[in-house]
Amino acid sequence: MELKIQRAIVKFGMEDLYEYSDVDVLIVGAGPSGLTSAKYLADKGFKVLVYEKRLSFGGGIGGGGNMIPKIVVQEEALPILKDFKIKYKEAEKNLYTIDPAELIAKLAVGALDAGAKIILGVHVEDVIVRDNPPRVTGVLWRWTAIEISGLHVDPLYTQSKALIDATGHGAEIVQIAAEKNPELNIIIKGEKSNWSEVSEKLVVDYTGKVAEGLYVTGIAVCEVFGLPRMGPIFGGMLMSGKKIAEIIEKDLRG
Amino acid sequence: MELKIQRAIVKFGMEDLYEYSDVDVLIVGAGPSGLTSAKYLADKGFKVLVYEKRLSFGGGIGGGGNMIPKIVVQEEALPILKDFKIKYKEAEKNLYTIDPAELIAKLAVGALDAGAKIILGVHVEDVIVRDNPPRVTGVLWRWTAIEISGLHVDPLYTQSKALIDATGHGAEIVQIAAEKNPELNIIIKGEKSNWSEVSEKLVVDYTGKVAEGLYVTGIAVCEVFGLPRMGPIFGGMLMSGKKIAEIIEKDLRG
Amino acid sequence: MELKIQRAIVKFGMEDLYEYSDVDVLIVGAGPSGLTSAKYLADKGFKVLVYEKRLSFGGGIGGGGNMIPKIVVQEEALPILKDFKIKYKEAEKNLYTIDPAELIAKLAVGALDAGAKIILGVHVEDVIVRDNPPRVTGVLWRWTAIEISGLHVDPLYTQSKALIDATGHGAEIVQIAAEKNPELNIIIKGEKSNWSEVSEKLVVDYTGKVAEGLYVTGIAVCEVFGLPRMGPIFGGMLMSGKKIAEIIEKDLRG
Amino acid sequence: MELKIQRAIVKFGMEDLYEYSDVDVLIVGAGPSGLTSAKYLADKGFKVLVYEKRLSFGGGIGGGGNMIPKIVVQEEALPILKDFKIKYKEAEKNLYTIDPAELIAKLAVGALDAGAKIILGVHVEDVIVRDNPPRVTGVLWRWTAIEISGLHVDPLYTQSKALIDATGHGAEIVQIAAEKNPELNIIIKGEKSNWSEVSEKLVVDYTGKVAEGLYVTGIAVCEVFGLPRMGPIFGGMLMSGKKIAEIIEKDLRG
Amino acid sequence: MELKIQRAIVKFGMEDLYEYSDVDVLIVGAGPSGLTSAKYLADKGFKVLVYEKRLSFGGGIGGGGNMIPKIVVQEEALPILKDFKIKYKEAEKNLYTIDPAELIAKLAVGALDAGAKIILGVHVEDVIVRDNPPRVTGVLWRWTAIEISGLHVDPLYTQSKALIDATGHGAEIVQIAAEKNPELNIIIKGEKSNWSEVSEKLVVDYTGKVAEGLYVTGIAVCEVFGLPRMGPIFGGMLMSGKKIAEIIEKDLRG
Amino acid sequence: MELKIQRAIVKFGMEDLYEYSDVDVLIVGAGPSGLTSAKYLADKGFKVLVYEKRLSFGGGIGGGGNMIPKIVVQEEALPILKDFKIKYKEAEKNLYTIDPAELIAKLAVGALDAGAKIILGVHVEDVIVRDNPPRVTGVLWRWTAIEISGLHVDPLYTQSKALIDATGHGAEIVQIAAEKNPELNIIIKGEKSNWSEVSEKLVVDYTGKVAEGLYVTGIAVCEVFGLPRMGPIFGGMLMSGKKIAEIIEKDLRG
Amino acid sequence: MELKIQRAIVKFGMEDLYEYSDVDVLIVGAGPSGLTSAKYLADKGFKVLVYEKRLSFGGGIGGGGNMIPKIVVQEEALPILKDFKIKYKEAEKNLYTIDPAELIAKLAVGALDAGAKIILGVHVEDVIVRDNPPRVTGVLWRWTAIEISGLHVDPLYTQSKALIDATGHGAEIVQIAAEKNPELNIIIKGEKSNWSEVSEKLVVDYTGKVAEGLYVTGIAVCEVFGLPRMGPIFGGMLMSGKKIAEIIEKDLRG
Amino acid sequence: MELKIQRAIVKFGMEDLYEYSDVDVLIVGAGPSGLTSAKYLADKGFKVLVYEKRLSFGGGIGGGGNMIPKIVVQEEALPILKDFKIKYKEAEKNLYTIDPAELIAKLAVGALDAGAKIILGVHVEDVIVRDNPPRVTGVLWRWTAIEISGLHVDPLYTQSKALIDATGHGAEIVQIAAEKNPELNIIIKGEKSNWSEVSEKLVVDYTGKVAEGLYVTGIAVCEVFGLPRMGPIFGGMLMSGKKIAEIIEKDLRG
């Protein structure tokens, strides 16, 4: 029986890797904004792939606020919660509490049932570029385990029409693209201290394209554009994820 | 706005902690068998709480087989997949492949929608015991972050009628109970080398109670009863989770 | 009984966290200057909260001078020792030795009995800001255990009218405020080499406000204003703590 | 001025080390039971020294219950709280909450003002023994910093008539004495799982002498005598500390 | 071009993994004895696979003797050197020096050109067993990077008719088989101190089968059978590798 | 016998170290480009020495593409594969797959049989320089084990007419030479993101001399000259190794 | 000039390694007892070699007592101090203080000027044995740097007529010999707690042979024979070193 | 007896610390240049103190050249060897080999017998400064163990008329003085690559004062003045140590 299991996994798993070497949209990071964008993009019919460096999804959601298992969203985000069938409870005017575990699981199911593919344990270490005009056309990735191990192993490729950095505070993908390719003309301003009210709005406003083929969503937006950060309030993350889906739809179909 | 967020989280999060200090069934480990048992127990109307040491769920599922993102189940487990609305694809006779990310997310949603509560980032470090007759009545837990930090901090309690060890290979909860309380008469035989066919059956057969108030499910069953292990095949895990739910229902209602 | 203990701690502990989400003065660091300022500010009737990253207080006091369990103060600081009922012994003209353990314990009791609240094991990781004019209105904090663990967990907030950086050599809070918020116009000059006599005076002279809502006391003053450091002599620390209390009283009541 | 500070610390600090090379009672561990016993023993006129491995006191108190800053005591311990002037608040019948920071600071001030000496940053690594009859007559200690550094450095000595192990869960001193000196006939049974009600009583009952010259108090009692542990309830700790003081008074004066 | 590279590697690499899921002989360890046995077994027409945990071959050869880049063999091993076309130089009667780098490279080329497959970076973590009679039928393996990373990821399988432990000092495979499967009746005696002359002979004499389906060669033989070790002399290793090939040929063809 | 082995290794190993203190060409790094250049240079009659920091050769080859054991080369590199007798298989037009283990072993045998010397476990930590004109005349090296250990130990020397940096991504040797010797006028531009097609050509074009006595080959060329990187395609590496051999031949014989 | 330095070191250093492959007495550990024995044995005309794992000598001397730079010896050891020209100062009756730095340096000079060879940075990892009768005839050693690095590198040999374990608390050499060679019939009793007066005498009394060819001196004697330890008093160490020299002289000349 | 040992060490050790709080010359680093300067300065009648961060002396001497236990000096340094009674052997014209262990021990004995005091295990972490004119008047130091432990402990002071940085490659003391005190106008140029012949001369030429009260000797000279480094040749180190002694004599007596 072991041989059958082995060959089923190698054969069907590798068919997936082969198939997903070339996608419409590649999202790096399976946190709130990444998963939200995955669902709406898959809903629109794109071939969507999400790479997550950990072995499960949720990004910074799982620890709630300083480990207290509760987080909040504001009224504007309720339609998205409804799209994902996530329960919420009014805490006070325009502020709703939700369960972190449910938010993680339902965001993932939402994305998966819409047709997005999520591959866990993947570390993206570089981007693929072309010039004239300069653009980003995919990534170089390795299993996170290789990254942690420090072993010297070459990466593989994934090709994308649109690449979304949904990696959170460090904006890791934009950072790499900026540092290694001056011709992309990306300037990273660095996240500012906390101002929840203002930042929840700005993070959605600034969500968008940073170079041809490269987009940013979620808290990584604050890092790139020098916006204040927020705390354990997730409405802006979800709305940013939805907005980037709309922008990319326009760009890819435009 | 920060003050409102802060107080909403502290107030509503702590109400949950207060409420979930006392449950019918406490499951340690949000991997395949733990989440399966959570759903079926919650379906039966029990107050169910799951503690997971990481900040997301899925246990060993997320890495597929040696990172190849595909795992398998056998035919007997298909009804459970259907209960959770998980897609599968026939690989060959009696062997079906499933997507690891989907398995994680749908198991969690299944448990949550049935009414189970999942709290992430919780490390269970000891059990509560009573004697005459000896029995286990709950656990001592701390945030995983405290465990990792090595800081000397006292735990809190959670009281349970039934405690399920769904922690996987180490059978951590049974291990602690056995080592510290000889009067529970628990002997841990240690997992044996791999024999997938045989072990997929035995792991279900041996699923059950190990002491008053303490049950074991999933791969931890192999550790406790000296059974062979299996590999990236998950049917036995799911069926063991379902079976422990039935056993506990009988014990608590009996 | 476990359930009663559990619920008493969750209920009453969380009431404190709720209550102390909003304070007059928030002091970061329970070393000599932080605790001194806590006492005098609480004496003046302010609602005072102290966050300390370790699980006990005392900062750099406990190791005496290179572990020899004795430290010194000069004559000008004796009135403060008397306020805290700390014993001292003349070593030679204008130089008194004190017991480090007693200094720690009595500074803490002085602050607590005056009505200040001290919460241990708290790591402040960012500040809350507002603009026009730019000002600091509180902090973002997590349990130190989370910080050490490296887990990705969102912080909580505490709102303050005055925030005091009493974190010692690194001036951690001022550093964060300065780096992330150029509009606060804070320049950190960096501590200079040792000149005890001069620095004991200058550290008190320079104690004060560094931005709207943000103050600095103790050895952090040397870091911010480029003053020489001192060694295991603590008079300047105590006097700086007392002075900042007077400045803040004026600012908040003015 | 630096030279004066230097010489004041070396001279007066070393006089203390010289003086405290020989004491009536040496307590290892400045947690709740250690500090309580220190106060009552010093009150009785003994020369008392406390060695604490960290650079501040409080043992496991500072983290409250799983970092929630609140702990509890039962009614029987209220007289001790009163002796130390520690505030408490009734949570429910026979259960009182106290502030962890205040408990730490007031226990320390109580011990110090009674005349006990506390030296911080000291790691006890072995005991001094004599035979015929076998007895413990002191300890070998090094700065904790040396222990952490892994450097090969010889210890110093402290001589005692009575040595109290108040080191908590590991019962480190009794452990060393037992392992290295079979003729002391000490058997360590190992702490059992939690049963707060029973263990709060037993920990006081079993507090006492484990070999000539060697005593045990606090949670270390559970380790040595195989008692169940408790959680963030501290009445037993305080009463154990008071009881060991009475036993030693009888032994040394008897 | 990236997509072409990606798909060529995924397709052809995975065909190899699929193909090599089931082999005649699986050798764990690409040191001197493992590579020697690989060549002679492949020469005999068996389907041979070598798993090596590092990302290159050679085991303990590369460091010579205490980093001095020279090792020795005795006269009896010269025919094997000739089979592999390895140069040697007489040092004195019956003792020849060889170049460590050449030994590594030529052993590997010898094995590869004979038709053996070597896969690098593979950590074998368990064996597959069957009972009645008890026998070993393959292994569970993961990328070494996963092992180093500490991530919780399920292994894959490889099925074998004969499994050779050529892992060196720890005899890792025999160790696992023995510890987890008492019915295999394997007793590990532990390597003894050095006696080069005697041990160079005994290591060849004891080379052989340790359980049905499981064989041992090279320095692991000393570990299993309690023989003295040798030092930087490699004749015994090569001759043991050749001998195990002959034994397995007989067993598989017998 | 031990004494004979000992003295044979010390005597003959040290004769090698003595002899190889002074070489025509010193290559740092035994990866694809380093080994290729070693063979062609030795073929031309130069005294060639390769220092490799690990205890075996192959650089980044052994992990294939993200651990999938297969790598590719393009058509232009086939003549080199033939020189080294390495098998290849057409994947599609102008793209051939090869076995990583075979590539490593045959590159090494090719270099060794041509007469190059490879010493493993050597860390090069600095270069030897002369001025007027500024030139590099050799290296300072220590065993890698010393480097890892952090012990303070002086290096030894090796003198060379031509020194090749074949260390890969970091271009470690050129980096050291540039940082410590401004008069060499070396500017390191830093590797750019991936563009396989372009970079496979440019890496060969830019292969060459960076200062008198100092040359660069392989992926280190991208680091030095700011070229895009490639992925698990190795044709450029091999062709760069061959080209540097031709350039150096001209320079040394010129 | 670099080439000359290189070749002088390789040539003359290696002549020493060759020459010192075979000695009369090999002492492991350059602490107080090891260096003392080295001097007296060299004085008697033996070819003496000392291996020390650190890069300088002195063992536990350098840290004095808990870093206070002073140690003591009793009257009986004064003749040895005189032999080494070490200054001492009476502290009180029969107790003399000495300077740790001077003790280290003069012990080393004493040994060297008597003709002993000291090689630093050497880790002894095993012994060479013969049977019938069982005896120890030398050691296997590697540079300490290799040990720390964790690299897999074979050791070299040194042959001895008498091997002295002067490694201190762990009695590392006797430990290895005992564990790996049951036929040597060595039982290690483990050091007991401190009793300075008694142990200073017993350590000299028990100094001697533990197996044919293997001797023990210094604090390792306490480990082997189950004697109490002492603290920063070094008379016993020196006298034990002198005594072992006398015993070995008799055995080798016997 | 333990009490006597304890009090002798505390009393006499502390008298030394008290006495050596104020010296003529403080040398940081007990390597070749530091110890050489210590001897010649003590010979001239100065009160000399050496602080060494390790627990023994010798700096980088003990590892010889890449662990081969031999180092070299040139002819010009022979008079210094003679002053210290160190044996040497001609290797070739103007190049002599010496034994590293002997060099360490004899340099130390030379310094000690001349009257210098060496305290081991001391980490210097800052300097004492005065202005108008800016000058260095001593250091702040802690036990190295504290530094390694990372504990927050205040330093002690030592006052000096002349402070010598003999810390080797990093020039640690000059580095600290330069970074923290711009008014000292010290610019650190950074060591260059190796050119032994030239650097052996320049290191002596540049030996001298870097600021009022602060001097530099040995390899730290290369770091400060941007000179090439040398390798395992030690003549320059010894001559630099002798020269700094002469310069300081002039400055202090001048």
Side-chain angles (χ1 to χ4, degrees), chain E residues 97-120:
Chain E
T97 63
I98 53 180
D99 179 72
E102 186 182 353
L103 179 59
I104 296 174
K106 296 237 171 124
L107 288 175
V109 166
L112 291 161
D113 278 352
K117 175 88 179 173
I118 304 175
I119 304 185
L120 301 166

Side-chain angles (χ1 to χ4, degrees), chain C residues 214-233:
Chain C
L214 179 60
Y215 300 80
V216 65
T217 185
I219 190 70
V221 173
C222 300
E223 184 75 26
V224 174
F225 296 103
L227 312 180
R229 62 184 289 194
M230 63 286 295
I233 175 165

Side-chain angles (χ1 to χ4, degrees), chain E:
Chain E
M1 187 191 207
E2 285 89 356
L3 187 57
K4 285 185 191 170
I5 300 172
Q6 161 78 7
R7 289 189 163 166
I9 288 176
V10 169
K11 180 160 179 292
F12 290 92
M14 284 308 139
E15 279 177 7
D16 278 11
L17 288 190
Y18 190 93
E19 170 63 21
Y20 279 90
S21 299
D22 187 17
V23 298
D24 291 331
V25 187
L26 174 58
I27 300 162
V28 185
S33 61
L35 291 172
T36 304
S37 67
K39 175 196 164 52
Y40 289 114
L41 281 159
D43 277 344
K44 294 170 199 299
F46 293 109
K47 182 178 179 185
V48 175
L49 174 63
V50 181
Y51 278 155
E52 165 56 43
K53 71 178 167 186
R54 294 200 186 78
L55 291 177
S56 189
F57 14 69
I61 298 171
N66 194 30
M67 291 313 307
I68 301 179
K70 196 64 69 181
I71 51 184
V72 301
V73 297
Q74 60 275 63
E75 193 140 30
E76 295 87 330
L78 296 191
I80 300 179
L81 294 187
K82 285 169 194 159
D83 284 354
F84 283 93
K85 299 184 189 128
I86 295 161
K87 290 184 284 293
Y88 50 88
K89 188 167 153 182
E90 189 167 32
E92 59 176 289
K93 197 168 145 18
N94 188 24
L95 211 57
Y96 299 80
T97 63
I98 53 180
D99 179 72
E102 186 182 353
L103 179 59
I104 296 174
K106 296 237 171 124
L107 288 175
V109 166
L112 291 161
D113 278 352
K117 175 88 179 173
I118 304 175
I119 304 185
L120 301 166
V122 170
H123 181 263
V124 170
E125 64 164 51
D126 204 349
V127 294
I128 309 178
V129 292
R130 294 289 181 271
D131 65 9
N132 200 0
R135 64 190 189 284
V136 174
T137 65
V139 302
L140 284 74
W141 62 276
R142 300 190 302 173
W143 302 120
T144 299
I146 298 174
E147 187 68 15
I148 295 175
S149 74
L151 293 176
H152 181 176
V153 175
D154 258 314
L156 285 174
Y157 305 108
T158 302
Q159 201 166 282
S160 62
K161 292 193 185 65
L163 171 65
I164 304 179
D165 183 339
T167 61
H169 288 284
E172 291 171 23
I173 306 307
V174 179
Q175 196 82 45
I176 289 169
E179 275 175 19
K180 299 186 69 171
N181 307 285
E183 71 276 21
L184 292 175
N185 277 319
I186 304 171
I187 290 158
I188 305 214
K189 296 201 176 158
E191 184 189 283
K192 296 187 62 182
S193 285
N194 191 88
W195 187 353
S196 300
E197 199 145 22
V198 161
S199 117
E200 280 289 298
K201 290 197 185 92
L202 292 180
V203 77
V204 182
D205 293 349
Y206 279 77
T207 291
K209 182 160 73 175
V210 292
E212 289 305 311
L214 180 60
Y215 300 79
V216 65
T217 185
I219 190 71
V221 172
C222 300
E223 183 76 26
V224 174
F225 295 104
L227 312 180
R229 63 184 288 193
M230 65 286 295
I233 175 163
F234 284 83
M237 295 299 98
L238 305 179
M239 291 183 282
S240 168
K242 188 172 183 188
K243 184 177 170 195
I244 200 68
E246 290 155 5
I247 291 171
I248 287 174
E249 183 185 26
K250 233 176 291 171
D251 286 3
L252 294 191
R253 299 244 160 91

